[in-house]
Amino acid sequence: MRSDIEKEQINVFIIGLRGYTQNYGGWEAFAHGLLDNWSDPLIHFYAFEKVTSKEEENTEEVNGVTCIRVCEKEQGSSAMMKYDRKCTDYAVHYIKENNISNPILFHLGVRIGPYLYLKRRQIKKNHIMMMENPAGAEWRRTKWNKLVQVYLYISAMMMAKSTDCMVCDNEGIRELYERILHGRKPKLDYVAYGVNEVPRVENEMPAEVQEYFDKWGIEKDGYYLILGRFIPENNYEMMFRGFHKSDTKRKLLVICNYKTEIQKFYEHIKEATKFEEDSRIIMAGTMYDQKLLHYIRQNARGYIHGHSVGGTNPGLLEAMAETDMNILFNVDFNRYVGGETAVYFSSDDELAQRIAEVDASTAEERTQMGQKARQRMLDKYSWKHIVDEYNRVIRELVQK
């Protein structure tokens, strides 16, 4: 173990982002949470960004992060695989040409496992360490066809065999890899996704918030909330059936991309649940206004979370940080996040029962549950804590 590394610069190249200066989705939100809260001057980050023309390729310092823009003109999943390969090759060449000290390739996701497996020997010849965050069990997502699912499983295994350290954002994901990996294994570590502390909203709603509530006919404490992608593994069928079976007089506000997601799935849900016949269920479409979302989350009677695949879901952390009563689908990924500060369901009948219990709860009970949930988020999922943990992981990796 090296004792001199604490005084040396460590250089981390993040591969898998569409861009640090762009706001596309979960990985970009993760990068901002991590990098915007980083404080150790001896660990420097490089973040690759996808551009669509050679003219846009450049390098720029943004908030202390070196943004390296790489051209990939095509769009879609296959294009992102090509882009990740290009970024990996660029990073290896850049490290070699510039004699970069203590370099680490930090891959997000499992797209290019076979490529990394083939390149590992060359990468290690340049004294480069590798770490990855695999996110969830991507191969289990039913949005992919069987062929893609098989590729993602193989890629995830080859990625794990290639890397030096796997940082899982949920204990359930770490346990999953411990079970399924055989032979050579990377160091398996756990560092959660982070969430920002959110102040409580004012009792009096601003005009634009009241306008949204009036548009959908909802009022404070008069609705349950579902917020998440409209895909099969998020259990919309079970949640709609469970809500329909409940006797609650409250409404169900569903904020999701049902108009642009898998239309075959939407038609199936309409036919299977007849949710359109339940006047309590409101399909409100998407919503990205963060100020408005704070009011929506904090004024809901409860938040219903049906995600069944993946690691630590950022939307769940945001709900736990804002909504007092959280009703979660009963899988280990969600239990690790919610602990004793949430309630759980495994079927539509159980969801109907949980809704009845939340309906019957007192204001004091809900307030106490919410306070415990918010404290849990501060203790385990604050970005300060996450940054400290990544600092530990990075330094331990370089000291090997």
Side-chain angles (χ1 to χ4, degrees):
M1 182 176 292
R2 296 173 55 188
S3 60
D4 59 337
I5 194 63
E6 291 184 4
K7 299 178 182 178
E8 293 183 10
Q9 181 85 40
I10 300 172
N11 295 278
V12 182
F13 293 75
I14 302 179
I15 298 168
L17 297 173
R18 288 181 175 88
Y20 170 69
T21 61
Q22 304 172 44
N23 296 303
Y24 278 97
W27 284 131
E28 287 69 38
F30 164 76
H32 275 285
L34 182 68
L35 303 183
D36 294 352
N37 289 283
W38 198 264
S39 59
D40 187 343
L42 289 179
I43 299 180
H44 183 73
F45 286 92
Y46 298 76
F48 283 92
E49 299 197 325
K50 182 176 180 292
V51 295
T52 55
S53 68
K54 284 288 185 181
E55 291 73 25
E56 295 176 278
E57 289 191 327
N58 59 36
T59 302
E60 180 184 8
E61 294 289 323
V62 181
N63 300 330
V65 177
T66 303
C67 297
I68 304 173
R69 299 184 176 111
V70 172
C71 175
E72 174 51 57
K73 296 180 181 180
E74 298 177 16
Q75 303 295 327
S77 300
S78 60
M80 289 303 294
M81 290 170 59
K82 290 169 59 179
Y83 165 67
D84 282 0
R85 293 197 298 266
K86 286 181 180 180
C87 293
T88 301
D89 289 344
Y90 187 107
V92 173
H93 178 76
Y94 184 92
I95 289 164
K96 186 176 180 180
E97 290 296 308
N98 294 280
N99 197 28
I100 298 296
S101 64
N102 303 308
I104 298 174
L105 302 187
F106 184 13
H107 285 91
L108 305 178
V110 298
R111 285 187 288 251
I112 58 168
Y115 187 73
L116 271 190
Y117 190 79
L118 294 173
K119 297 279 289 189
R120 174 178 166 78
R121 184 170 295 179
Q122 178 189 340
I123 291 170
K124 302 308 287 184
K125 278 184 179 179
N126 290 286
H127 308 290
I128 300 170
M129 302 299 289
M130 289 189 286
M131 59 187 282
E132 68 156 317
N133 184 327
E138 188 69 17
W139 62 88
R140 291 180 174 176
R141 297 189 185 277
T142 55
K143 70 174 182 176
W144 305 119
N145 63 42
K146 292 298 181 183
L147 187 61
V148 174
Q149 287 179 325
V150 169
Y151 170 79
L152 288 171
Y153 178 79
I154 294 171
S155 185
M157 297 304 101
M158 297 183 83
M159 198 94 174
K161 295 287 185 182
S162 304
T163 196
D164 298 296
C165 177
M166 177 185 289
V167 186
C168 303
D169 65 17
N170 188 287
E171 289 112 315
I173 293 296
R174 180 173 63 178
E175 291 173 2
L176 172 65
Y177 274 97
E178 284 175 344
R179 290 196 306 270
I180 64 178
L181 282 175
H182 302 283
R184 183 196 180 275
K185 294 183 181 181
K187 178 186 178 185
L188 292 170
D189 214 319
Y190 159 67
V191 182
Y193 196 93
V195 66
N196 293 312
E197 185 176 4
V198 179
R200 306 305 288 172
V201 298
E202 300 292 334
N203 284 329
E204 186 174 344
M205 294 182 183
E208 65 271 21
V209 176
Q210 190 63 57
E211 181 180 340
Y212 183 88
F213 275 58
D214 292 344
K215 174 183 178 181
W216 297 111
I218 58 175
E219 57 187 26
K220 182 178 180 179
D221 197 45
Y223 61 96
Y224 288 86
L225 174 66
I226 294 175
L227 199 163
R229 290 185 63 190
F230 196 75
I231 51 179
E233 55 262 33
N234 289 353
N235 280 309
Y236 273 91
E237 183 171 347
M238 184 187 298
M239 291 189 294
F240 283 3
R241 288 184 185 278
F243 187 83
H244 185 69
K245 287 182 177 181
S246 77
D247 294 325
T248 185
K249 299 296 190 291
R250 292 179 169 83
K251 295 185 177 181
L252 177 63
L253 180 67
V254 184
I255 298 178
C256 69
N257 58 337
Y258 72 96
K259 292 182 179 179
T260 57
E261 200 52 85
I262 309 168
Q263 285 304 298
K264 184 178 179 181
F265 175 63
Y266 176 58
E267 294 301 324
H268 166 75
I269 293 296
K270 280 202 301 183
E271 180 63 28
T273 68
K274 311 294 185 186
F275 74 84
E276 292 178 313
E277 299 174 10
D278 191 331
S279 61
R280 299 171 300 171
I281 298 178
I282 302 167
M283 300 294 283
T286 53
M287 163 57 61
Y288 300 107
D289 185 321
Q290 290 302 311
K291 178 181 177 181
L292 182 50
L293 283 171
H294 292 324
Y295 279 89
I296 293 170
R297 288 193 183 101
Q298 294 183 32
N299 284 306
R301 181 69 164 204
Y303 169 73
I304 304 173
H305 185 78
H307 290 51
S308 62
V309 174
T312 299
N313 181 262
L316 175 55
L317 297 182
E318 290 164 351
M320 296 289 295
E322 297 201 66
T323 309
D324 287 341
M325 302 297 291
N326 292 278
I327 309 172
L328 316 182
F329 183 62
N330 191 16
V331 290
D332 54 0
F333 310 121
N334 295 334
R335 288 195 303 272
Y336 278 124
V337 174
E340 300 299 317
T341 67
V343 296
Y344 300 90
F345 68 97
S346 301
S347 65
D348 48 14
D349 288 331
E350 285 188 7
L351 176 56
Q353 181 61 33
R354 296 293 91 79
I355 291 171
E357 292 165 357
V358 174
D359 266 357
S361 63
T362 66
E364 182 179 0
E365 289 170 337
R366 295 192 300 277
T367 298
Q368 288 178 353
M369 184 72 95
Q371 289 172 342
K372 290 177 182 177
R374 286 187 286 280
Q375 190 60 51
R376 184 176 177 84
M377 293 302 101
L378 283 175
D379 293 342
K380 293 191 64 176
Y381 299 98
S382 70
W383 276 114
K384 181 182 182 307
H385 176 67
I386 303 311
V387 164
D388 289 344
E389 283 294 284
Y390 264 102
N391 192 302
R392 171 188 62 78
V393 169
I394 289 168
R395 289 196 171 278
E396 286 178 358
L397 181 60
V398 175
Q399 287 172 348
K400 287 180 63 176

